[in-house]
Amino acid sequence: MSSWFDKIAARPQRSIILLSLLLLLAGNWILPLTDRDEARFAEASREMLQRGDYVVPWFNGAWRFDKPVLIYWCQMASYCVFGDNAFAARLPSVLCTTATALLLVRWGRKIADHKTAFLAGVMYVTGLHVAIIGRIARADMAMIFFSTLAVWSGWELTRPESPQRKKWWWIFYVALALGFLAKGPVAWLPLGGMILGRSFHKNAFRLPLTETLAGLCVTVALVALWGVPALLQTGGQFWKVGMGEHVFNRSFGVIDRHGIAGIAGFLALLPLYFLTFFASFFPWSLRVPKTVWRWWPERRRDELGWYLLTQAAVVFAVFSLVKTKLPHYTLPAFPIIALWLARQIGGAPDISAWAGKRLAAMSAFILVLTLGLFPFAEKHLLTENLWRATRPYVRPETKIGCFGYSEPSLVWRVRSVITNDMTLGNVKQAASFLTNAPPFILVLPTGDLAKLPDTNGLLFQVRGLDLVKFQNRDLTAIVRP
């Protein structure tokens, strides 16, 4: 008798689309933008749309060089349909995560069967870290989609017997270009994995040098269609800051204390991602070591399996060597690991019961968290409590200054109404802001209120959770209508 897992796996494409959208969209209209990067991406897309500048991102009236432009374009398109709100800002990430799962299903059906294909998509979507990051308004999921597409097309491109090499050649190098436009050079790691695959199995990979160089020229040319205007508009600052600070400095130094400085700290953190993997890919990660152990003696006869693990290993190796460490850096490897694991265990007699229990448990966990806890959390967030208290006094011409609490989530909230930029600074600068003509709102930590020479006006004191620092804080807003 077929299990419920077998029944939904019989139509893997439809099932994975519905499952992914259900789990990743749940609660996205409830929880405000709380993550710093979420608010920065969302606000930058809104400001680009307001300015009519489709080349260079802006945040609070200043250029933002953190990432290339693709995710901003996607969010702007979403705003045009759904308005500039948290749901619309997160929608591109949800769609890219779903599209990546669909890629795994399609590739899985080509190399195995429908159950293996569905299992690969399920393991990717319901892995703990993807279930969290897959809904967040950042650039990661767009890059991972194109990176996964590059891994697949790279495999097809290098098959000596492939009758459609031209099609896969175009897909591979266009995917590299779009991946770069999503999150920079990290999207080019599949090229390294493809070259390594050829070095390990030379006779099984067709990779002519002239074709490769021509493809890279296509990739660079596509990136340059945006990159050259961006460099000209910013006087080269996009390269200096975007590549210099956010790529090279992160590789050779510790940024924002995300890591441990010094050689000892670097060596201590080398195994970090191999440990965090078990939490990030939970619950499916627990079966990986046993499966690798069984597969290892047969590795030389499994060229595709070797290629997939090589691609995943490149991601882990590169980010293990990068000094700045963040848990989500290795996420581009997860679709590949999901496909590899599904391919190895998809034919096991107990796989439907085993996978069904974990799918049900993770789905229930995600839905309880998003639909049950998100409404509770929203009522206790510091930015939201401050916004609820001051919103009736915010008009388009209102000047707002925030001193000692400069979270991007507050910028996102207030710039939904005001037409000027928000003033950010330290507490010492708060006194000079009080010399502005009304209407204005000044925000600062309640403990620093006594340092101001003049506190006349309406006073609103709020308390809530600062998620970035993960502590409760008190803020006071001085409102002069």
Side-chain angles (χ1 to χ4, degrees), residues 140-427:
D140 300 274
M141 306 320 294
M143 180 273 293
I144 290 172
F145 169 75
F146 289 112
S147 175
T148 304
L149 181 59
V151 171
W152 181 9
S153 56
W155 169 256
E156 301 291 351
L157 167 65
T158 55
R159 297 306 85 220
E161 71 283 0
S162 175
Q164 297 180 306
R165 293 193 71 254
K166 185 175 182 180
K167 179 187 80 170
W168 291 110
W169 183 89
W170 278 105
I171 293 174
F172 179 75
Y173 290 105
V174 171
L176 290 186
L178 294 175
F180 184 98
L181 291 176
K183 205 182 174 183
V186 63
W188 290 356
L189 291 181
L191 178 62
M194 192 169 69
I195 293 172
L196 279 178
R198 184 183 183 279
S199 67
F200 292 139
H201 296 273
K202 185 174 182 180
N203 295 330
F205 281 77
R206 182 183 176 187
L207 194 62
L209 179 60
T210 53
E211 284 187 8
T212 303
L213 293 177
L216 290 176
C217 289
V218 169
T219 297
V220 172
L222 291 174
V223 172
L225 292 177
W226 163 78
V228 171
L231 291 176
L232 292 174
Q233 186 172 325
T234 62
Q237 287 297 303
F238 219 120
W239 174 269
K240 182 179 179 180
V241 178
M243 292 295 292
E245 180 179 341
H246 295 288
V247 177
F248 298 123
N249 287 355
R250 286 179 184 269
S251 300
F252 301 105
V254 176
I255 303 297
D256 295 332
R257 294 177 291 183
H258 296 309
I260 304 176
I263 295 178
F266 170 72
L267 294 175
L269 291 181
L270 275 178
L272 175 68
Y273 291 122
F274 295 94
L275 300 176
T276 59
F277 166 74
F278 289 97
S280 294
F281 197 52
F282 181 85
W284 316 103
S285 57
L286 302 180
R287 193 150 178 170
V288 171
K290 180 181 178 181
T291 306
V292 171
W293 179 262
R294 289 181 175 178
W295 170 83
W296 190 254
E298 306 296 325
R299 65 191 185 280
R300 296 188 184 279
R301 290 190 289 272
D302 184 7
E303 292 172 355
L304 176 56
W306 184 263
Y307 171 77
L308 292 174
L309 284 192
T310 297
Q311 289 283 6
V314 167
V315 175
F316 274 83
V318 167
F319 287 110
S320 294
L321 294 175
V322 168
K323 283 193 172 183
T324 298
K325 299 285 195 295
L326 282 171
H328 68 276
Y329 281 177
T330 54
L331 282 179
F334 285 21
I336 312 308
I337 295 173
L339 182 62
W340 179 88
L341 182 59
R343 183 169 172 263
Q344 299 303 317
I345 67 176
D350 65 336
I351 195 62
S352 295
W354 179 84
K357 291 178 181 178
R358 284 152 182 79
L359 170 57
M362 288 303 296
S363 298
F365 169 76
I366 294 167
L367 292 176
V368 168
L369 178 67
T370 56
L371 299 179
L373 294 184
F374 278 9
F376 172 81
E378 191 268 342
K379 297 177 182 178
H380 294 82
L381 297 175
L382 184 56
T383 292
E384 292 306 300
N385 290 342
L386 178 65
W387 178 244
R388 278 189 286 267
T390 58
R391 173 63 184 90
Y393 303 95
V394 179
R395 303 194 299 272
E397 66 275 15
T398 302
K399 295 176 285 293
I400 298 182
C402 196
F403 305 92
Y405 180 75
S406 55
E407 291 304 321
S409 57
L410 187 57
V411 179
W412 162 257
R413 274 304 195 189
V414 302
R415 290 201 83 263
S416 64
V417 178
I418 67 173
T419 54
N420 47 284
D421 299 323
M422 183 174 171
T423 302
L424 303 174
N426 55 48
V427 175

Side-chain angles (χ1 to χ4, degrees), residues 99-158:
T100 302
L102 186 59
L103 278 183
L104 297 180
V105 168
R106 293 182 66 86
W107 194 2
R109 290 188 67 175
K110 183 175 183 179
I111 61 177
D113 54 36
H114 61 269
K115 184 186 291 186
T116 298
F118 181 64
L119 181 59
V122 162
M123 289 194 292
Y124 174 66
V125 168
T126 60
L128 183 59
H129 212 155
V130 172
I132 298 170
I133 300 293
R135 66 175 63 246
I136 290 180
R138 301 198 311 206
D140 300 274
M141 306 320 294
M143 180 273 293
I144 290 172
F145 169 75
F146 289 112
S147 175
T148 304
L149 181 59
V151 171
W152 181 9
S153 56
W155 169 256
E156 301 291 351
L157 167 65
T158 55

